[in-house]
Amino acid sequence: MAGLSSSALLTIDVQGDFYKADAPAQIEGTLERLPEMQNVVQAFRSTGRPIIHVVRLYLADGSNAEPVRRPLLTATPVVRPGTAGSEVAPELLPHDARQLDSDLLLAGDLQSVGPSEWVMYKPRWGAFYGTRLEDLLRDLAVDTVVLVGCNFPNCPRATLYEASERDFDTVLVSDAVSGTYERGLGEVSAIGAMVMTAREVSDLVMHPSL
């Protein structure tokens, strides 16, 4: 994994309805972690490494969400397709990125937002479930998945386990993921994940010889 030269970055669920201060499903700590997420994104983008922004898009009836979430979603609009709250944090996107194409994403296609950079919809906790993510990473000759984003106990952690199950090396950027806690970081370390800071990851991406 020297230099992370064969890595891809996944940003997980960094969408308005999850991180903004007045958001209906605000995840505590996500807004505060946004600058470190941005630093890692900029390192990957400046070196041409792949970036996949993974998002949720909940239909009004909740039918494309986990059953446990459906009662909440029918009562409270959260990351509904076409709404401002569904958009990825602009700090993480190229300056000229277009709004999400919800129809394209819900159909399972990738939306290109820049060279080697895409948005992808996932229907469940983990980013590999029911998506084209594994095929994309294989096509890009990626062997290591780096994770930043929103709410470690749920979607980032599920994605990390799914990546490990598919024999990818994994890196969790501890200060660029909200909801981390000491025991959880120890548990993912125990299954082989590297736990690193945003600065450590950015330095490795920018200076592979370190």
Side-chain angles (χ1 to χ4, degrees):
M1 197 168 59
L4 298 176
S5 59
S6 299
S7 62
L9 176 65
L10 305 184
T11 78
I12 306 292
D13 298 348
V14 192
Q15 298 166 263
D17 282 347
F18 296 138
Y19 79 87
K20 291 184 178 179
D22 58 349
Q26 184 205 22
I27 302 299
E28 184 178 355
T30 305
L31 181 61
E32 291 74 12
R33 299 290 174 100
L34 195 54
E36 299 300 344
M37 298 181 208
Q38 186 177 19
N39 288 341
V40 178
V41 167
Q42 288 175 338
F44 271 75
R45 187 178 294 136
S46 68
T47 54
R49 297 301 313 151
I51 302 170
I52 302 98
H53 303 282
V54 185
V55 300
R56 302 301 295 259
L57 293 169
Y58 293 137
L59 300 177
D61 62 1
S63 60
N64 65 333
E66 296 83 0
V68 69
R69 285 186 166 175
R70 291 174 189 171
L72 166 67
L73 298 173
T74 55
T76 304
V78 176
V79 292
R80 290 233 178 129
T83 65
S86 71
E87 296 292 331
V88 175
E91 294 89 340
L92 302 187
L93 294 173
H95 66 88
D96 56 352
R98 295 176 290 108
Q99 290 185 325
L100 298 187
D101 185 335
S102 298
D103 291 337
L104 180 79
L105 294 168
L106 287 167
D109 292 320
L110 298 167
Q111 180 177 349
S112 176
V113 292
S116 299
E117 190 164 352
W118 301 268
V119 178
M120 186 196 80
Y121 157 76
K122 64 178 175 63
R124 292 294 184 270
W125 314 110
F128 288 84
Y129 178 89
T131 73
R132 297 170 49 195
L133 180 57
E134 181 175 3
D135 290 340
L136 173 64
L137 297 177
R138 302 292 184 205
D139 289 344
L140 294 170
V142 166
D143 61 21
T144 303
V145 175
V146 179
L147 294 169
V148 304
C150 177
N151 204 18
F152 166 74
N154 293 352
C155 299
R157 184 165 180 158
T159 299
L160 187 151
Y161 275 82
E162 288 180 340
S164 179
E165 289 169 348
R166 290 160 175 81
D167 296 333
F168 291 101
D169 289 330
T170 55
V171 177
L172 184 77
V173 188
S174 58
D175 56 349
V177 180
S178 59
T180 55
Y181 56 98
E182 185 175 356
R183 178 174 175 176
L185 295 179
E187 289 169 346
V188 296
S189 295
I191 68 157
M194 292 286 292
V195 177
M196 304 174 69
T197 66
R199 181 171 183 176
E200 290 171 334
V201 170
S202 297
D203 284 347
L204 271 178
V205 172
M206 297 290 293
H207 308 288
S209 61
L210 292 179

mmCIF file of all heavy atoms in Angstrom, residues 24-53:
data_model
loop_
_atom_site.group_PDB
_atom_site.id
_atom_site.type_symbol
_atom_site.label_atom_id
_atom_site.label_comp_id
_atom_site.label_asym_id
_atom_site.label_seq_id
_atom_site.Cartn_x
_atom_site.Cartn_y
_atom_site.Cartn_z
ATOM 1 N N PRO A 24 -32.757 17.832 8.636
ATOM 2 C CA PRO A 24 -33.741 16.971 9.300
ATOM 3 C C PRO A 24 -33.155 15.677 9.847
ATOM 4 O O PRO A 24 -33.745 15.056 10.728
ATOM 5 C CB PRO A 24 -34.756 16.677 8.184
ATOM 6 C CG PRO A 24 -33.998 16.862 6.915
ATOM 7 C CD PRO A 24 -33.029 17.979 7.201
ATOM 8 N N ALA A 25 -32.018 15.258 9.328
ATOM 9 C CA ALA A 25 -31.392 14.012 9.804
ATOM 10 C C ALA A 25 -29.910 14.260 10.095
ATOM 11 O O ALA A 25 -29.058 13.448 9.775
ATOM 12 C CB ALA A 25 -31.560 12.909 8.762
ATOM 13 N N GLN A 26 -29.632 15.402 10.725
ATOM 14 C CA GLN A 26 -28.252 15.796 10.974
ATOM 15 C C GLN A 26 -27.504 14.748 11.792
ATOM 16 O O GLN A 26 -28.002 14.259 12.801
ATOM 17 C CB GLN A 26 -28.195 17.119 11.718
ATOM 18 C CG GLN A 26 -26.771 17.619 11.926
ATOM 19 C CD GLN A 26 -26.646 18.550 13.118
ATOM 20 O OE1 GLN A 26 -27.477 18.531 14.012
ATOM 21 N NE2 GLN A 26 -25.605 19.354 13.127
ATOM 22 N N ILE A 27 -26.314 14.394 11.313
ATOM 23 C CA ILE A 27 -25.430 13.474 12.030
ATOM 24 C C ILE A 27 -24.362 14.323 12.722
ATOM 25 O O ILE A 27 -23.553 14.978 12.076
ATOM 26 C CB ILE A 27 -24.778 12.458 11.078
ATOM 27 C CG1 ILE A 27 -25.843 11.655 10.333
ATOM 28 C CG2 ILE A 27 -23.833 11.542 11.842
ATOM 29 C CD1 ILE A 27 -26.764 10.833 11.213
ATOM 30 N N GLU A 28 -24.391 14.299 14.023
ATOM 31 C CA GLU A 28 -23.485 15.133 14.811
ATOM 32 C C GLU A 28 -22.029 14.876 14.425
ATOM 33 O O GLU A 28 -21.606 13.733 14.275
ATOM 34 C CB GLU A 28 -23.689 14.841 16.298
ATOM 35 C CG GLU A 28 -22.859 15.713 17.215
ATOM 36 C CD GLU A 28 -23.132 15.421 18.679
ATOM 37 O OE1 GLU A 28 -24.033 14.618 18.969
ATOM 38 O OE2 GLU A 28 -22.421 16.009 19.527
ATOM 39 N N GLY A 29 -21.292 15.954 14.277
ATOM 40 C CA GLY A 29 -19.870 15.861 14.002
ATOM 41 C C GLY A 29 -19.505 15.854 12.540
ATOM 42 O O GLY A 29 -18.330 16.051 12.202
ATOM 43 N N THR A 30 -20.471 15.648 11.652
ATOM 44 C CA THR A 30 -20.150 15.572 10.220
ATOM 45 C C THR A 30 -19.679 16.914 9.687
ATOM 46 O O THR A 30 -18.674 16.993 8.966
ATOM 47 C CB THR A 30 -21.350 15.063 9.418
ATOM 48 O OG1 THR A 30 -21.778 13.804 9.955
ATOM 49 C CG2 THR A 30 -20.990 14.869 7.958
ATOM 50 N N LEU A 31 -20.372 17.986 10.031
ATOM 51 C CA LEU A 31 -19.975 19.317 9.572
ATOM 52 C C LEU A 31 -18.561 19.651 10.047
ATOM 53 O O LEU A 31 -17.752 20.202 9.290
ATOM 54 C CB LEU A 31 -20.965 20.357 10.081
ATOM 55 C CG LEU A 31 -20.715 21.809 9.660
ATOM 56 C CD1 LEU A 31 -20.768 21.953 8.142
ATOM 57 C CD2 LEU A 31 -21.747 22.738 10.316
ATOM 58 N N GLU A 32 -18.258 19.274 11.282
ATOM 59 C CA GLU A 32 -16.942 19.572 11.845
ATOM 60 C C GLU A 32 -15.833 18.783 11.152
ATOM 61 O O GLU A 32 -14.677 19.222 11.103
ATOM 62 C CB GLU A 32 -16.927 19.277 13.345
ATOM 63 C CG GLU A 32 -17.766 20.220 14.195
ATOM 64 C CD GLU A 32 -19.273 19.984 14.088
ATOM 65 O OE1 GLU A 32 -19.674 18.936 13.529
ATOM 66 O OE2 GLU A 32 -20.048 20.837 14.550
ATOM 67 N N ARG A 33 -16.159 17.628 10.608
ATOM 68 C CA ARG A 33 -15.159 16.795 9.925
ATOM 69 C C ARG A 33 -14.993 17.157 8.449
ATOM 70 O O ARG A 33 -14.112 16.644 7.768
ATOM 71 C CB ARG A 33 -15.542 15.314 10.036
ATOM 72 C CG ARG A 33 -15.609 14.776 11.483
ATOM 73 C CD ARG A 33 -14.236 14.684 12.105
ATOM 74 N NE ARG A 33 -14.253 14.325 13.506
ATOM 75 C CZ ARG A 33 -14.021 13.098 13.980
ATOM 76 N NH1 ARG A 33 -13.782 12.111 13.133
ATOM 77 N NH2 ARG A 33 -14.019 12.870 15.273
ATOM 78 N N LEU A 34 -15.839 18.040 7.960
ATOM 79 C CA LEU A 34 -15.835 18.365 6.538
ATOM 80 C C LEU A 34 -14.488 18.920 6.049
ATOM 81 O O LEU A 34 -14.030 18.539 4.954
ATOM 82 C CB LEU A 34 -16.975 19.330 6.228
ATOM 83 C CG LEU A 34 -17.377 19.527 4.770
ATOM 84 C CD1 LEU A 34 -17.690 18.204 4.084
ATOM 85 C CD2 LEU A 34 -18.597 20.458 4.695
ATOM 86 N N PRO A 35 -13.813 19.804 6.796
ATOM 87 C CA PRO A 35 -12.512 20.287 6.306
ATOM 88 C C PRO A 35 -11.487 19.176 6.098
ATOM 89 O O PRO A 35 -10.719 19.222 5.112
ATOM 90 C CB PRO A 35 -12.071 21.267 7.400
ATOM 91 C CG PRO A 35 -13.345 21.740 8.018
ATOM 92 C CD PRO A 35 -14.238 20.531 8.013
ATOM 93 N N GLU A 36 -11.449 18.184 6.964
ATOM 94 C CA GLU A 36 -10.501 17.080 6.778
ATOM 95 C C GLU A 36 -10.910 16.197 5.597
ATOM 96 O O GLU A 36 -10.054 15.711 4.847
ATOM 97 C CB GLU A 36 -10.382 16.249 8.059
ATOM 98 C CG GLU A 36 -9.869 17.022 9.265
ATOM 99 C CD GLU A 36 -8.489 17.616 9.044
ATOM 100 O OE1 GLU A 36 -7.777 17.219 8.100
ATOM 101 O OE2 GLU A 36 -8.094 18.498 9.840
ATOM 102 N N MET A 37 -12.212 15.995 5.421
ATOM 103 C CA MET A 37 -12.664 15.284 4.221
ATOM 104 C C MET A 37 -12.200 16.020 2.971
ATOM 105 O O MET A 37 -11.709 15.408 2.013
ATOM 106 C CB MET A 37 -14.194 15.183 4.195
ATOM 107 C CG MET A 37 -14.830 14.411 5.316
ATOM 108 S SD MET A 37 -16.639 14.393 5.075
ATOM 109 C CE MET A 37 -17.212 14.243 6.760
ATOM 110 N N GLN A 38 -12.361 17.329 2.984
ATOM 111 C CA GLN A 38 -11.983 18.146 1.831
ATOM 112 C C GLN A 38 -10.487 18.017 1.541
ATOM 113 O O GLN A 38 -10.074 17.923 0.381
ATOM 114 C CB GLN A 38 -12.355 19.600 2.085
ATOM 115 C CG GLN A 38 -12.128 20.522 0.899
ATOM 116 C CD GLN A 38 -12.582 21.938 1.199
ATOM 117 O OE1 GLN A 38 -12.740 22.336 2.348
ATOM 118 N NE2 GLN A 38 -12.805 22.717 0.148
ATOM 119 N N ASN A 39 -9.677 17.995 2.582
ATOM 120 C CA ASN A 39 -8.231 17.868 2.385
ATOM 121 C C ASN A 39 -7.876 16.559 1.690
ATOM 122 O O ASN A 39 -7.027 16.522 0.788
ATOM 123 C CB ASN A 39 -7.515 17.943 3.733
ATOM 124 C CG ASN A 39 -7.534 19.341 4.321
ATOM 125 O OD1 ASN A 39 -7.749 20.316 3.620
ATOM 126 N ND2 ASN A 39 -7.332 19.425 5.628
ATOM 127 N N VAL A 40 -8.524 15.473 2.089
ATOM 128 C CA VAL A 40 -8.250 14.176 1.469
ATOM 129 C C VAL A 40 -8.740 14.165 0.026
ATOM 130 O O VAL A 40 -8.047 13.685 -0.883
ATOM 131 C CB VAL A 40 -8.898 13.036 2.280
ATOM 132 C CG1 VAL A 40 -8.657 11.695 1.601
ATOM 133 C CG2 VAL A 40 -8.345 13.004 3.703
ATOM 134 N N VAL A 41 -9.931 14.705 -0.211
ATOM 135 C CA VAL A 41 -10.460 14.784 -1.577
ATOM 136 C C VAL A 41 -9.504 15.566 -2.472
ATOM 137 O O VAL A 41 -9.207 15.152 -3.610
ATOM 138 C CB VAL A 41 -11.858 15.433 -1.577
ATOM 139 C CG1 VAL A 41 -12.284 15.810 -2.995
ATOM 140 C CG2 VAL A 41 -12.885 14.477 -0.970
ATOM 141 N N GLN A 42 -9.017 16.687 -1.990
ATOM 142 C CA GLN A 42 -8.126 17.513 -2.808
ATOM 143 C C GLN A 42 -6.837 16.771 -3.144
ATOM 144 O O GLN A 42 -6.306 16.900 -4.257
ATOM 145 C CB GLN A 42 -7.834 18.827 -2.088
ATOM 146 C CG GLN A 42 -9.021 19.772 -2.053
ATOM 147 C CD GLN A 42 -8.769 21.022 -1.237
ATOM 148 O OE1 GLN A 42 -7.905 21.063 -0.363
ATOM 149 N NE2 GLN A 42 -9.544 22.061 -1.512
ATOM 150 N N ALA A 43 -6.333 15.979 -2.192
ATOM 151 C CA ALA A 43 -5.113 15.208 -2.463
ATOM 152 C C ALA A 43 -5.364 14.185 -3.560
ATOM 153 O O ALA A 43 -4.548 14.030 -4.487
ATOM 154 C CB ALA A 43 -4.629 14.538 -1.183
ATOM 155 N N PHE A 44 -6.470 13.476 -3.481
ATOM 156 C CA PHE A 44 -6.790 12.481 -4.505
ATOM 157 C C PHE A 44 -7.030 13.149 -5.852
ATOM 158 O O PHE A 44 -6.540 12.681 -6.884
ATOM 159 C CB PHE A 44 -8.012 11.656 -4.079
ATOM 160 C CG PHE A 44 -7.675 10.446 -3.270
ATOM 161 C CD1 PHE A 44 -7.306 10.556 -1.933
ATOM 162 C CD2 PHE A 44 -7.704 9.180 -3.829
ATOM 163 C CE1 PHE A 44 -6.990 9.448 -1.178
ATOM 164 C CE2 PHE A 44 -7.381 8.055 -3.087
ATOM 165 C CZ PHE A 44 -7.022 8.187 -1.753
ATOM 166 N N ARG A 45 -7.774 14.247 -5.853
ATOM 167 C CA ARG A 45 -8.098 14.910 -7.119
ATOM 168 C C ARG A 45 -6.843 15.471 -7.786
ATOM 169 O O ARG A 45 -6.668 15.347 -9.010
ATOM 170 C CB ARG A 45 -9.116 16.024 -6.874
ATOM 171 C CG ARG A 45 -9.638 16.669 -8.157
ATOM 172 C CD ARG A 45 -10.693 17.726 -7.839
ATOM 173 N NE ARG A 45 -11.883 17.130 -7.254
ATOM 174 C CZ ARG A 45 -12.533 17.631 -6.200
ATOM 175 N NH1 ARG A 45 -12.101 18.722 -5.595
ATOM 176 N NH2 ARG A 45 -13.617 17.021 -5.741
ATOM 177 N N SER A 46 -5.952 16.056 -7.007
ATOM 178 C CA SER A 46 -4.765 16.681 -7.588
ATOM 179 C C SER A 46 -3.801 15.663 -8.176
ATOM 180 O O SER A 46 -2.986 16.004 -9.038
ATOM 181 C CB SER A 46 -4.053 17.524 -6.530
ATOM 182 O OG SER A 46 -3.488 16.703 -5.512
ATOM 183 N N THR A 47 -3.904 14.416 -7.731
ATOM 184 C CA THR A 47 -3.020 13.372 -8.255
ATOM 185 C C THR A 47 -3.723 12.442 -9.237
ATOM 186 O O THR A 47 -3.145 11.453 -9.694
ATOM 187 C CB THR A 47 -2.434 12.539 -7.096
ATOM 188 O OG1 THR A 47 -3.498 12.036 -6.273
ATOM 189 C CG2 THR A 47 -1.500 13.378 -6.239
ATOM 190 N N GLY A 48 -4.983 12.744 -9.547
ATOM 191 C CA GLY A 48 -5.708 11.951 -10.533
ATOM 192 C C GLY A 48 -6.178 10.604 -10.042
ATOM 193 O O GLY A 48 -6.569 9.753 -10.859
ATOM 194 N N ARG A 49 -6.165 10.397 -8.711
ATOM 195 C CA ARG A 49 -6.651 9.129 -8.187
ATOM 196 C C ARG A 49 -8.192 9.116 -8.215
ATOM 197 O O ARG A 49 -8.835 10.170 -8.091
ATOM 198 C CB ARG A 49 -6.181 8.915 -6.744
ATOM 199 C CG ARG A 49 -4.674 8.824 -6.554
ATOM 200 C CD ARG A 49 -4.060 7.700 -7.354
ATOM 201 N NE ARG A 49 -4.800 6.453 -7.211
ATOM 202 C CZ ARG A 49 -4.877 5.506 -8.130
ATOM 203 N NH1 ARG A 49 -4.270 5.663 -9.294
ATOM 204 N NH2 ARG A 49 -5.556 4.402 -7.913
ATOM 205 N N PRO A 50 -8.816 7.942 -8.365
ATOM 206 C CA PRO A 50 -10.282 7.884 -8.457
ATOM 207 C C PRO A 50 -10.973 8.319 -7.165
ATOM 208 O O PRO A 50 -10.506 8.007 -6.055
ATOM 209 C CB PRO A 50 -10.555 6.401 -8.742
ATOM 210 C CG PRO A 50 -9.266 5.845 -9.238
ATOM 211 C CD PRO A 50 -8.189 6.628 -8.570
ATOM 212 N N ILE A 51 -12.079 9.006 -7.336
ATOM 213 C CA ILE A 51 -12.936 9.435 -6.230
ATOM 214 C C ILE A 51 -14.362 9.041 -6.581
ATOM 215 O O ILE A 51 -14.841 9.349 -7.677
ATOM 216 C CB ILE A 51 -12.874 10.954 -6.007
ATOM 217 C CG1 ILE A 51 -11.431 11.405 -5.735
ATOM 218 C CG2 ILE A 51 -13.794 11.373 -4.869
ATOM 219 C CD1 ILE A 51 -11.268 12.917 -5.747
ATOM 220 N N ILE A 52 -15.035 8.378 -5.643
ATOM 221 C CA ILE A 52 -16.454 8.040 -5.823
ATOM 222 C C ILE A 52 -17.224 8.612 -4.655
ATOM 223 O O ILE A 52 -16.970 8.243 -3.496
ATOM 224 C CB ILE A 52 -16.694 6.514 -5.935
ATOM 225 C CG1 ILE A 52 -15.905 5.921 -7.104
ATOM 226 C CG2 ILE A 52 -18.187 6.235 -6.115
ATOM 227 C CD1 ILE A 52 -14.602 5.274 -6.718
ATOM 228 N N HIS A 53 -18.144 9.526 -4.943
ATOM 229 C CA HIS A 53 -19.008 10.116 -3.926
ATOM 230 C C HIS A 53 -20.267 9.242 -3.835
ATOM 231 O O HIS A 53 -21.071 9.205 -4.783
ATOM 232 C CB HIS A 53 -19.369 11.547 -4.297
ATOM 233 C CG HIS A 53 -18.180 12.440 -4.499
ATOM 234 N ND1 HIS A 53 -17.474 12.984 -3.452
ATOM 235 C CD2 HIS A 53 -17.567 12.866 -5.640
ATOM 236 C CE1 HIS A 53 -16.478 13.715 -3.928
ATOM 237 N NE2 HIS A 53 -16.512 13.664 -5.240
#
